[in-house]
Structures are given as C-alpha cells and as structure tokens.
Amino acid sequence: MTTALITGIAGQDGIYLTRLLQQKGYRVVGSVHSPDQARRAALYIGDAELVQLDITDGASVDAVIGEVRPDEIYNLAAYSSVGASWQQAERVAETNGMAVLRLLESLVRYRDRHGSAPRFYQASSSEIFGLAKQQPQDEGTPHHPRSPYAAAKSFAHHLTVNYRESYGLFACNGILFNHESPLRPTTFVTRKITRAVAEIHLGRRSELTLGNLDVRRDWGAAQDYVRAMWLMLQQPAASDYIIASGKSVSLRDFVDVAFACVGIDDAWSYVRQDPAMMRPADVPQTWGDPSKAERELGWSHTMTFTNVIEQMVWVDVERLQSGVEESPAFLDPSPVRPS
C-alpha cells in the first residue's frame, strides 16, 4: 500500500486529493494544526489518519516524516488568501516560504538515513507570475510577484527547483491557477459572490459589494486540479507543470454567470463597487498554458467555468435552506439543486 502524507489536509485541495488517493488504494495521513481542522477533516475524510503538526517547526516535520515513512508528500499547508497576506505578511512568509525550506531539508536528511526520500509535491501558484508580460503564462515565464503571498510562493517554488537539481530529490512544483469548489472558504471573492447570490435568490439580502471587477483569472475546478497533483508524482522524472484551463475571464463574467444560475439576468442592479476593497497591488490577469501537462501527464480539465460556478451557487443555496454548512454531499461535482 502506497502511503501519502498531505500537509493541510483539511483545506479544499487536501480533502479532494485525499478522496482521490483513497479511491486509488492509498494509505493517507494528513496534518492538521487545530481542533477545527481535525473536525472538518473527520467529516469529509473520516478514515484518513490525522497528525498534529506545526509546519513551521522543523523538528516536528522531521518527527512526522520519520514516523509516517511516506512514499509521497503533498505540501498543501499554507496561508491561501492573497488579500489577507498583506495583513499577515511575516506569518505568510514563514508558513508559505521558510516552512518549505525546512521540509526540503528534512527530505535530504531522511534520504541520508534511509537511502531514498519520498516524492515531493509543492503547491505553487499562478500568483508568482504577477505582472508577467507573457500571455498566457507557461513554465518558463519569469516571476513578478505582487503580494506577500506571491513572493513567498515564488521563494518556495525556486527552492523546490534548487533541491531537485542540487540534491536529486524527486520534487515537483504544481503551478495551479485559480481553482474553485463548494469547499472554498467565504474569505475568497468567489465564495463571497456565490454566497451573496444565493442569499439574494432567497430574499435574504439586497446587494453584493466588491472591489476590483476588472481582474481576469484562469478558473478551473479543484476536483480536476488535484488529479494533476497525483499525476506529477507518478512520472519517471520530476518536473514542474502549469495546471490551468487555458482561458482567462473577468470577475465581471464570474458575477454574470453566478446570477444567471438562479435566473437573475440584471446582475448589476445588485452589485456595488467599493474602492476601499481594492488591494495595495493587484494582478490584472492570469492565464495559463497547460500544454505541457496535457502532453506529458495526459491531464485535462473536465469541468467548465460555468459548471464550477453553478455547483458553488446551488450548494450555497442548499446551505442556507438546510442550515448545514459542511456536508460530504457538497463534494459531488454535479450541481446540487434544491428540490
């Protein structure tokens, strides 16, 4: 039985990845750092083993890897909100950057003790490209990060490449562009939109307030993107891959589609723009070229932009009507429509 260690198992990607690996017969061990995370993980993936881990503590990382003896490690533990990283810049740098250095150092020590190291996946991000002029972005696009989150992810990305090239570790960067699901926290603008649309649909609020509506993102589905993570660690040689839909759409498009899901055609009569919600610096557009992943991994996305939003909107409607915020039923990739 192949053993996988997933840091940050209680997050959106951790839950979907765990379910995928369990379907493939893996033993899955996941790290959490709070009781709330443990409860969420138990709800969605009850038969995974959980360990308490502070990813920034190198000694604890060594101990967990030594005890679990994983074949594969998926490092998904991170502060994931770009906007919030401006208020927690030092903590984000520590968790998203320095913690990855400690993980890689731990893998080198493990290899020296046991003769080989687990295969390692690092969750990189399209945010590393920032103001890159190249459109669409590919694996060779220079980094120009525009937030503390992006700068820390860029640091971790380069470390992963360096430890692969310098120590021969099987270490991959998955450069994932925006990917959503009903498990996305409401702190993200996508869930903020779908939650508000659900509330407006049910007559529980009258407007939605947003900041920069002109940003463009390459959006996909978390269910598709975790499959790419697994495929990267099954290859004969380690490499880095862009995982994206290959299309860039605006936040305005996202809003239009979300309201259309509940039959509202005049979305902009409900939307108000607040300049105070603008970030200190923003990325005008992300747009990924997944050609390498399609060619070498045999990967492709299965859910459309509209599919993803429809699923999120109707799950939020179900949440509001049932009073249940978390349920394994919400993981179903088909739209969940109220009866």
Side-chain angles (χ1 to χ4, degrees):
M1 180 180 290
T2 304
T3 297
L5 172 63
I6 301 175
T7 68
I9 197 172
Q12 167 188 266
D13 291 4
I15 291 169
Y16 281 109
L17 178 61
T18 297
R19 289 165 60 88
L20 173 69
L21 297 183
Q22 288 173 334
Q23 291 166 6
K24 295 182 178 297
Y26 277 59
R27 171 195 174 215
V28 178
V29 181
S31 78
V32 295
H33 68 79
S34 72
D36 285 344
Q37 286 191 354
R39 283 190 289 271
R40 190 171 199 244
L43 174 65
Y44 286 107
I45 43 177
D47 50 352
E49 301 172 43
L50 301 180
V51 293
Q52 193 80 18
L53 177 63
D54 177 359
I55 196 69
T56 65
D57 182 347
S60 297
V61 170
D62 274 351
V64 167
I65 294 176
E67 179 181 343
V68 174
R69 300 288 294 270
D71 301 288
E72 299 172 359
I73 297 176
Y74 297 85
N75 183 36
L76 309 183
Y79 279 89
S80 55
S81 173
V82 177
S85 73
W86 292 100
Q87 286 74 50
Q88 304 178 73
E90 288 187 30
R91 187 171 295 182
V92 168
E94 183 69 24
T95 305
N96 294 12
M98 288 302 297
V100 179
L101 173 60
R102 297 187 188 103
L103 260 169
L104 292 165
E105 282 286 315
S106 183
L107 292 182
V108 172
R109 289 191 292 270
Y110 186 97
R111 184 202 60 186
D112 292 344
R113 290 194 304 271
H114 300 287
S116 63
R119 294 188 168 202
F120 178 73
Y121 170 85
Q122 167 59 20
S124 193
S125 167
S126 61
E127 291 289 330
I128 62 178
F129 297 127
L131 291 182
K133 295 180 180 179
Q134 180 182 334
Q135 300 290 339
Q137 292 97 36
D138 61 24
E139 290 79 5
T141 302
H143 297 190
H144 190 154
R146 290 277 284 171
S147 66
Y149 169 89
K153 282 289 187 179
S154 179
F155 174 65
H157 180 107
H158 287 301
L159 282 172
T160 301
V161 173
N162 272 268
Y163 274 68
R164 178 173 73 226
E165 295 176 349
S166 301
Y167 294 102
L169 295 178
F170 192 107
C172 297
N173 284 298
I175 311 166
L176 272 59
F177 281 62
N178 294 61
H179 51 288
E180 308 297 331
S181 80
L183 300 191
R184 181 62 91 186
T186 53
T187 52
F188 284 72
V189 68
T190 48
R191 254 311 289 294
K192 178 181 178 181
I193 292 168
T194 62
R195 183 74 171 202
V197 167
E199 291 174 345
I200 290 169
H201 170 67
L202 295 174
R204 302 189 185 185
R205 68 186 292 173
S206 59
E207 68 178 18
L208 165 63
T209 305
L210 296 169
N212 186 358
L213 294 166
D214 297 319
V215 294
R216 300 182 66 86
R217 296 289 181 263
D218 185 326
W219 271 295
Q223 299 95 316
D224 284 335
Y225 286 29
V226 298
R227 181 163 37 86
M229 299 177 188
W230 174 76
L231 285 168
M232 289 179 209
L233 297 196
Q234 313 315 307
Q235 301 308 301
S239 190
D240 306 321
Y241 295 91
I242 294 278
I243 305 300
S245 75
K247 298 179 180 179
S248 185
V249 296
S250 72
L251 192 63
R252 292 180 185 275
D253 295 328
F254 194 108
V255 171
D256 279 330
V257 172
F259 275 96
C261 288
V262 295
I264 298 176
D265 297 324
D266 59 336
W268 299 102
S269 64
Y270 296 94
V271 178
R272 183 172 68 86
Q273 191 170 21
D274 182 359
M277 298 178 70
M278 303 286 189
R279 293 173 182 171
D282 215 337
V283 177
Q285 173 169 276
T286 63
W287 179 16
D289 177 0
S291 299
K292 181 182 176 182
E294 293 171 351
R295 183 176 64 252
E296 296 185 7
L297 304 181
W299 177 86
S300 62
H301 65 98
T302 63
M303 292 182 65
T304 68
F305 174 66
T306 300
N307 292 154
V308 175
I309 300 173
E310 185 176 32
Q311 179 188 1
M312 294 174 69
V313 168
W314 286 110
V315 168
D316 273 334
V317 171
E318 178 66 20
R319 283 186 170 109
L320 292 165
Q321 291 183 324
S322 67
V324 176
E325 288 294 322
E326 302 273 19
S327 169
F330 299 158
L331 293 168
D332 186 346
S334 60
V336 180
R337 293 179 177 273
S339 58

